């Protein structure tokens, strides 16, 4: 029984213990274990990328101040979760920013035209942008790990870079060096690089940017080549070439300019143009500089003295250097020393003059020898045949007179050509005044040439030296005859021409106004253009040497121009030639005035005349003619002899003196000194050459009387009578 009771107590005790254990388990599970499992499950399910919602216990929440340890644990976990969430968000934001920065950095590197590179402390490439492939031909992976010295065209190139890098303290800009590409070609790069230091300040590498400048180098080299070529060309030119900026300072100068300025070309650069030139040259060129800075091109010729001390005859050209808006930044000065050329041209002109003179001399000698042959032949007959009757003797003398007239006409041709022969103009109405001359012209042309004349019935009058006009027409007619060896037609047409239009006058080489034209046209062989272009040139002739004076159309041209008109020529091979002479119209008032000036008849005189003439034959004929006119004559061979006669007390009424006299005392000086001795003395000048306005000083008056050689006795008488009567009137008025 005790055992059964003990067994019963033990079983009851076990049941109670079990029940208490179950109760304690249930209570612990409900209060602790399930919440711990929930916390474990929550922690196990937690995603590091997503912290999820805050942890909560599956029980009624306790107030914060009454919470147990589990509540404290959950609260601490949730606080930790919140902080982790903030940290996670910050890390994520930082990661995104880093990734964005890396993307931007990568995009920059990938889009860079220049090449970025980085090397380590040993000079090996650790980073290089993709543009390296276009620069060097290498893909980026191909160069990573290679030593950068391997990319240089030559080993010394990398050594030069390092030396410069050290000299600049680890910072270099615009360093130029040549690299070798993958295909073996070369490329010029400009590098800017800096030293990279670690956190401790130690050197850990180099980073830099390399830019392809091959094209720029080629362009620069081409520019240098161009500049060298320009310099070579400029220095090779025998001309001054300079550039002056708007501050008037030299910016370019070639070797020739340096020689003109007496220094090296480089020593001129930067200097003021005013400093280099003397004051006189500066003042003469200043208006040209002002004009070129207004945008005007200046081209002129000057005689200037340059700093080298040499006086040069230069041809200068200033060309403005303009911007697109027209602003002038400076100007180019181009100068050629033509001193030697001018001297050579003068020598050539002298040579041409001598050649022309030879041509002229041959022609004049030919014509004068013909004249002298006629004179000598007739004189010999007169001297050797004393038994000639009066009729025969008169014929020989008339032949001599005609030949002398031809000689005088020849002289007038020469002087008209040189425009030294004064014209004896008188009003002419060509329709009527040339009628007698055309009769002679028909005889000169011969029977094979038909002459037609057409006159304008209302033709204006014109002032003309009749003998010279007739001689000009005769020259043209004879030229036309020679151009029609098998016969033909020569037409002379006169008409009035209105040349008041300036452009028409300019085309004809005339002053605007009214003119009378005389056209001489033939239907002969004509002239080619190259011959017609030289037809009016001095001494131009198609005849052989010695077969004429060589004046031809030049004499016609000289006569027309001296008469105040002009001449034109048109010709074509096989179509003939037309020459038109233009003479200015004479208005009515001028015609009346000219009519009043026609010479009047004069009587013989008995005054005392002093004749001064160095040629003995001319002196004799003048004295004899005067004595036959009734004058009392004293002769002198030169100026001193004439002055001696005057100062010796001899009294004279008139001085007749040649202008050209020996011993350095011309006729004008004789007249001047004679009037100091005898103020009332009348003076008549003689000359065989020039116009009175060229040789007689103004003190003798604009109407000083000039007797032109050769002259006839009647012309001598009229000249003396005019002078004596005019001076007598003047004394009477006084």
């Amino acid at each position: 029984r005790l055992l059964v009771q003990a067994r019963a107590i033990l079983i009851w005790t076990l049941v109670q213990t079990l029940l208490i254990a179950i109760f304690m388990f249930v209570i612990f599970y409900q209060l602790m274990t399930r919440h711990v499992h929930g916390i474990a499950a929550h922690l196990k399910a937690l995603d590091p990328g997503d912290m999820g919602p805050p942890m909560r216990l599956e029980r009624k929440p306790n107030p914060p101040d009454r919470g147990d340890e589990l509540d404290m644990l959950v609260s601490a976990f949730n606080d930790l979760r919140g902080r982790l969430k903030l940290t996670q968000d910050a890390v994520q934001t930082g990661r995104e920013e880093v990734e964005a920065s890396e993307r931007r950095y990568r995009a920059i590197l990938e889009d860079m035209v220049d090449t970025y590179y980085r090397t380590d402390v040993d000079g090996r490439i650790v980073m290089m942008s993709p543009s390296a492939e276009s620069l060097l031909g290498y893909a980026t992976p191909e160069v990573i790990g290679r030593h950068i010295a391997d990319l240089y065209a030559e080993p010394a190139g990398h050594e030069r870079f390092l030396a410069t890098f050290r000299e600049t303290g680890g910072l270099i800009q615009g360093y130029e060096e040549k690299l070798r590409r993958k295909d073996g070609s070369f490329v010029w790069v400009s590098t800017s690089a800096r030293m990279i230091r670690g956190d401790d300040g130690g050197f850990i590498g180099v980073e830099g940017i390399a830019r392809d400048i091959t094209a720029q180098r080629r362009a620069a080299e081409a520019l240098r080549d161009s500049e060298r070529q320009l310099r070579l060309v400029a220095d090779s030119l025998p001309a001054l070439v300079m550039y002056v900026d708007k501050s008037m300072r030299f910016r370019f100068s070639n070797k020739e300019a340096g020689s003109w300025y007496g220094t090296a070309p480089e020593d001129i650069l930067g200097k003021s143009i005013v400093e280099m030139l003397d004051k006189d040259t500066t003042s003469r060129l200043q208006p040209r500089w002002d004009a070129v800075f207004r945008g005007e091109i200046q081209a002129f010729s000057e005689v200037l003295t340059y700093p080298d001390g040499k006086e040069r005859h230069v041809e200068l050209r200033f060309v403005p250097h303009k911007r697109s808006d027209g602003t002038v930044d400076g100007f180019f000065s181009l100068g050629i020393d033509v001193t030697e050329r001018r001297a050579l041209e003068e020598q050539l002109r002298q040579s041409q003059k001598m050649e022309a003179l030879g041509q002229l001399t041959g022609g004049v000698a030919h014509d004068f020898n013909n004249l002298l042959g006629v004179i000598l032949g007739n004189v010999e007959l007169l001297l050797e045949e004393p038994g000639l009757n009066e009729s025969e003797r008169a014929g020989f003398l008339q032949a001599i007179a005609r030949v002398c007239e031809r000689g005088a006409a020849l002289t007038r041709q020469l002087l008209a050509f040189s425009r030294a022969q004064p014209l004896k103009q008188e009003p002419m109405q060509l329709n009527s005044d040339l009628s007698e001359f055309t009769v002679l012209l028909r005889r000169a042309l011969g029977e094979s040439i038909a002459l037609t004349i057409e006159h304008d019935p209302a033709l204006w009058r014109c002032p003309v030296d009749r003998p010279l006009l007739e001689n000009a027409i005769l020259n043209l007619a004879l030229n036309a005859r020679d151009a029609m060896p098998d016969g033909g037609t020569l037409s002379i047409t006169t008409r009035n021409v209105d040349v008041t239009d300036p452009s028409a006058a300019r085309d004809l080489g005339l002053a605007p106004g009214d003119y009378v034209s005389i056209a001489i046209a033939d239907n002969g062989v004509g002239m080619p253009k190259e011959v017609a272009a030289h037809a009016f040139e001095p001494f131009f002739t198609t005849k052989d040497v010695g077969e004429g004076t060589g004046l031809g159309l030049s004499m016609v041209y000289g006569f027309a121009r001296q008469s105040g008109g002009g001449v034109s020529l048109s010709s074509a091979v096989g179509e003939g030639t037309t020459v038109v002479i233009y003479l200015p119209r004479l208005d009515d008032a001028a015609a009346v005035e000219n009519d009043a000036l026609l010479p009047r008849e004069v009587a013989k005189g008995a005054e005392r005349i002093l004749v001064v003439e160095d040629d003995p034959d001319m002196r004799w004929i003048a004295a004899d003619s005067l004595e036959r006119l009734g004058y009392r004559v004293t002769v002198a061979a030169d100026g001193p002899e004439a002055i001696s006669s005057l100062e010796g007390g001899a009294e004279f009424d008139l001085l007749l003196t040649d202008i050209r006299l020996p011993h350095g005392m011309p006729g004008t000086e004789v007249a001047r000194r004679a009037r100091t001795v005898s103020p009332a003395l009348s003076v008549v000048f003689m000359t065989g050459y020039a116009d009175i306005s060229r040789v007689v000083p103004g003190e003798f008056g604009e109407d000083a009387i000039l007797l032109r050689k050769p002259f006839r006795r009647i012309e001598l008488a009229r000249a003396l009578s005019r002078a004596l009567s005019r001076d007598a009137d003047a004394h009477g008025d006084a």
Side-chain angles (χ1 to χ4, degrees):
R1 186 183 304 144
L2 184 60
L3 183 59
V4 170
Q5 289 179 345
R7 190 168 49 241
I9 292 170
L10 179 60
I11 292 172
W12 176 246
T13 300
L14 290 173
V15 170
Q16 287 180 331
T17 302
L18 179 61
L19 291 172
I20 292 170
I22 292 172
F23 176 77
M24 291 298 292
F25 174 77
V26 171
I27 293 300
F28 188 80
Y29 179 78
Q30 288 294 328
L31 297 176
M32 182 64 72
T33 303
R34 68 186 184 93
H35 293 298
V36 172
H37 281 292
I39 291 172
H42 186 87
L43 292 174
K44 187 175 181 180
L46 189 66
D47 185 1
D50 185 8
M51 300 299 292
M55 184 183 295
R56 297 179 62 88
L57 295 178
E58 296 181 2
R59 65 180 185 181
K60 183 179 179 180
N62 295 317
D65 57 343
R66 296 178 59 184
D68 56 14
E69 287 78 2
L70 287 176
D71 291 325
M72 293 174 63
L73 179 62
V74 170
S75 178
F77 175 77
N78 285 333
D79 289 341
L80 177 61
R81 172 191 168 280
R83 289 193 294 273
L84 288 175
K85 179 65 174 175
L86 293 175
T87 302
Q88 186 182 48
D89 291 343
V91 170
Q92 181 63 27
T93 301
R95 182 183 297 112
E96 291 175 355
E97 290 178 352
V98 170
E99 289 175 353
S101 177
E102 288 180 351
R103 285 194 299 272
R104 289 194 298 271
Y105 182 62
R106 179 67 60 183
I108 291 173
L109 290 180
E110 290 177 354
D111 294 339
M112 281 181 64
V113 176
D114 299 336
T115 300
Y116 172 83
Y117 69 94
R118 179 179 291 183
T119 65
D120 59 15
V121 69
D122 296 325
R124 297 189 178 278
I125 300 171
V126 296
M127 184 177 181
M128 185 168 281
S129 64
S131 57
E133 185 167 359
S134 62
L135 178 68
L136 299 171
Y138 293 100
T140 301
E142 292 181 289
V143 294
I144 300 299
R146 295 187 62 174
H147 200 285
I148 195 168
D150 297 340
L151 301 178
Y152 281 79
E154 53 186 18
H158 185 241
E159 296 298 328
R160 287 193 296 267
F161 171 79
L162 293 178
T164 306
F165 193 68
R166 286 190 292 269
E167 291 173 0
T168 57
L171 180 64
I172 191 170
Q173 292 183 343
Y175 179 81
E176 297 182 3
E177 192 58 69
K178 187 166 61 174
L179 304 183
R180 187 186 301 275
R181 292 171 52 87
K182 183 178 180 179
D183 59 4
S185 61
F186 298 103
V187 59
W188 278 95
V189 298
S190 173
T191 301
S192 296
R194 71 178 184 90
M195 183 186 299
I196 305 175
R197 297 187 181 275
D199 296 337
D200 58 356
F203 172 69
I204 61 173
V206 175
E207 68 174 352
I209 294 177
R211 173 174 296 177
D212 185 354
I213 60 168
T214 306
Q216 293 91 319
R217 292 277 299 200
R218 289 174 180 169
E221 185 62 29
L223 179 60
R224 284 191 292 271
D225 288 342
S226 177
E227 289 177 347
R228 285 193 292 268
Q229 292 174 4
L230 176 62
R231 169 62 65 179
L232 178 61
V233 171
D235 286 343
S236 300
L237 290 175
L240 173 144
V241 181
M242 307 184 87
Y243 180 79
V244 181
D245 64 17
K246 58 185 177 183
S247 65
M248 297 298 289
R249 295 189 177 276
F250 294 109
R251 297 304 176 192
F252 179 85
S253 172
N254 71 337
K255 185 179 295 184
E256 183 69 10
S259 67
W260 288 24
Y261 282 80
T263 185
E266 56 271 15
D267 293 337
I268 300 176
L269 304 184
K271 292 186 178 179
S272 170
I273 192 171
V274 179
E275 297 174 4
M276 299 295 291
L277 297 175
D278 59 52
K279 186 176 181 180
D280 177 65
T281 302
T282 301
S283 63
R284 292 166 66 183
L285 294 180
Q286 187 65 54
R288 304 287 186 177
W289 298 333
D290 294 340
V292 78
F293 277 109
R294 292 195 299 268
E296 303 173 11
I297 296 176
Q298 295 293 297
F300 58 98
S301 179
E302 276 280 4
V303 178
L304 301 173
T305 301
Y306 279 83
D308 65 349
K310 183 178 179 181
E311 185 179 76
R312 291 179 170 85
H313 196 140
V314 295
E315 291 180 355
L316 290 172
R317 187 177 180 87
F318 295 161
V319 182
H321 174 212
K322 299 180 181 179
R323 297 182 185 176
S324 58
D325 61 358
T327 304
V328 178
D329 283 336
F331 66 91
F332 291 94
S333 175
L334 310 175
I336 301 176
D337 185 349
V338 296
T339 307
E340 184 176 352
R341 190 185 77 189
R342 290 296 179 93
L344 293 175
E345 288 175 352
E346 183 60 28
Q347 293 178 9
L348 177 60
R349 281 193 294 271
Q350 293 297 330
S351 175
Q352 290 173 336
K353 286 180 182 179
M354 294 304 295
E355 181 180 357
L357 183 60
Q359 176 70 31
L360 177 63
T361 302
V364 172
H366 174 272
D367 287 357
F368 266 110
N369 283 334
N370 288 340
L371 301 178
L372 294 175
V374 174
I375 293 173
L376 288 175
N378 284 278
V379 169
E380 284 181 351
L381 288 173
L382 290 172
L383 294 176
E384 295 176 359
E385 299 290 339
L388 293 174
N389 59 43
E390 289 299 324
S391 175
E392 292 174 329
R393 185 179 298 274
F396 292 140
L397 292 174
Q398 290 173 0
I400 294 173
R402 286 194 300 271
V403 170
C404 290
E405 287 290 346
R406 288 172 57 192
L410 179 58
T411 302
R412 285 198 299 272
Q413 286 185 14
L414 296 173
L415 295 177
F417 165 74
S418 65
R419 303 183 69 176
Q421 168 68 31
L423 299 180
K424 296 181 181 179
Q425 293 182 331
E426 57 184 85
M428 286 188 66
Q429 217 295 332
L430 300 182
N431 291 353
S432 58
D433 290 338
L434 291 180
S435 58
E436 295 181 4
F437 176 72
T438 55
V439 174
L440 299 176
L441 193 61
R442 292 181 190 275
R443 296 174 182 173
L445 292 175
E447 297 180 355
S448 63
I449 305 296
L451 177 63
T452 64
I453 299 175
E454 181 181 350
H455 289 309
D456 185 340
L459 195 68
W460 298 321
R461 300 178 77 188
C462 55
V464 180
D465 186 316
R466 181 168 181 164
L468 292 182
L469 174 62
E470 293 177 350
N471 196 59
I473 296 175
L474 179 61
N475 263 322
L476 296 175
L478 294 179
N479 285 344
R481 183 195 61 186
D482 294 341
M484 299 182 287
D486 298 327
T489 301
L490 176 69
S491 62
I492 299 177
T493 306
T494 62
R495 64 188 181 94
N496 298 325
V497 182
D498 180 0
V499 197
T500 54
D501 180 64
S503 61
R506 184 169 54 253
D507 293 340
L508 292 173
L510 302 171
D514 292 330
Y515 292 86
V516 174
S517 70
I518 308 170
I520 296 92
D522 66 67
N523 58 354
V525 296
M527 292 183 283
K529 290 182 178 180
E530 57 272 16
V531 174
H534 298 282
F536 292 120
E537 290 184 2
F539 310 116
F540 180 80
T541 179
T542 56
K543 298 180 180 179
D544 293 335
V545 175
E547 293 187 359
T549 62
L551 295 176
L553 290 175
S554 298
M555 186 278 294
V556 178
Y557 177 85
F559 157 72
R561 295 298 292 176
Q562 192 178 9
S563 299
V567 62
S568 66
L569 180 146
S570 59
S571 182
V573 175
E575 298 181 9
T577 301
T578 300
V579 179
V580 182
I581 300 174
Y582 297 90
L583 299 172
R585 176 186 182 182
L586 180 69
D587 58 34
D588 294 337
V592 171
E593 180 180 353
N594 277 275
D595 289 340
L597 294 177
L598 291 177
R600 58 187 175 86
E601 293 296 330
V602 294
K604 297 181 179 181
E607 287 83 0
R608 294 158 299 180
I609 310 297
L610 175 60
V611 178
V612 187
E613 171 62 58
D614 60 317
D615 184 273
D617 293 330
M618 189 66 205
R619 186 168 62 246
W620 174 82
I621 193 64
D624 184 72
S625 298
L626 290 172
E627 289 175 350
R628 292 178 183 276
L629 289 170
Y631 294 102
R632 292 170 289 166
V633 181
T634 300
V635 296
D638 52 36
E641 184 178 347
I643 299 301
S644 177
S645 297
L646 286 165
E647 292 178 346
E651 295 183 0
F652 299 97
D653 298 296
L654 183 140
L655 172 68
L656 176 63
T657 178
D658 192 12
I659 291 178
R660 293 192 173 188
L661 294 173
H663 310 306
M665 185 181 293
T668 53
E669 179 63 21
V670 174
R672 184 181 295 110
R673 295 181 60 177
R675 281 192 169 175
T676 60
V677 178
S678 179
L681 187 67
S682 300
V683 178
V684 174
F685 295 102
M686 296 184 294
T687 183
Y689 172 68
D691 186 356
I692 190 169
S693 62
R694 300 188 181 187
V695 296
V696 178
E699 63 187 271
F700 293 99
E702 295 182 358
D703 55 349
I705 299 175
L706 183 68
L707 189 61
R708 298 172 182 87
K709 300 176 182 178
F711 50 80
R712 297 191 177 195
R713 185 185 306 175
I714 186 62
E715 293 172 344
L716 174 62
R718 288 174 179 174
L720 266 62
S721 179
R722 181 184 173 192
L724 292 169
S725 61
R726 185 177 62 185
D727 290 340
D729 293 340
H731 294 316
D733 294 339

